[in-house]
Amino acid sequence: MANAKQIEELKEALVVRKALITKNIEGSRESIDSLKNSECKDDYDFAEVSSDSFKEGIIANQQIKELKEIEDALKRIEKGKYGICEMCDESIAIGRLRAKPFAKFCTPCREIYEVEQQ
Ligand SMILES: [Zn+2]
């Protein structure tokens, strides 16, 4: 079980990561907008722009997903439920939290969850 000091450190890591992702998402939105507003109006150029936007969109989606996980983790810290597996209520190992501070499941439950997702 993570102690108060460890949780504080992990919270700090989450807050830093959250700020970075928020900045990235805003940055990629701006670059997509600037691409859309650029001079290329004919269909061929637009297709190229779309494919770039598509790639950026995938990256942005992944980041939005991670951002949501980070926000969930911060809420769990507030509620004092951080570091507890959502599936089995066991403590999540500190090593796992250090590797992935927004982890919701302990290692065995994560494995079960991943199998179910496939
Ligand atoms: Zn578990």
Side-chain angles (χ1 to χ4, degrees):
M1 178 70 193
N3 65 36
K5 193 174 172 286
Q6 287 166 331
I7 289 174
E8 203 51 48
E9 283 169 13
L10 292 162
K11 187 183 171 182
E12 186 63 32
L14 286 164
V15 169
V16 169
R17 182 84 188 142
K18 186 183 165 181
L20 183 74
I21 293 174
T22 307
K23 202 165 153 262
N24 278 351
I25 292 170
E26 279 168 6
S28 68
R29 272 190 192 142
E30 269 169 31
S31 69
I32 290 168
D33 285 348
S34 68
L35 279 170
K36 281 180 184 159
N37 294 331
S38 63
E39 289 300 301
C40 46
K41 296 289 184 206
D42 67 76
D43 287 346
Y44 179 75
D45 282 349
F46 186 72
E48 282 195 338
V49 171
S50 299
S51 122
D52 277 353
S53 302
F54 182 69
K55 275 180 240 156
E56 292 215 35
I58 290 171
I59 295 164
N61 278 345
Q62 282 169 347
Q63 297 207 315
I64 288 165
K65 213 176 140 206
E66 190 181 337
L67 190 62
K68 203 186 161 293
E69 303 242 31
I70 291 170
E71 280 169 354
D72 283 351
L74 290 169
K75 274 183 211 155
R76 290 197 298 276
I77 291 174
E78 276 173 34
K79 289 179 189 162
K81 288 182 178 172
Y82 181 74
I84 297 165
C85 174
E86 284 194 357
M87 259 200 263
C88 69
D89 286 334
E90 294 287 331
S91 301
I92 302 171
I94 185 70
R96 175 156 163 73
L97 290 172
R98 285 221 169 101
K100 194 182 172 192
F102 51 82
K104 275 192 277 201
F105 306 123
C106 66
T107 307
C109 289
R110 178 74 212 174
E111 279 163 15
I112 296 163
Y113 180 77
E114 278 175 0
V115 169
E116 281 175 356
Q117 294 295 300
Q118 279 163 8

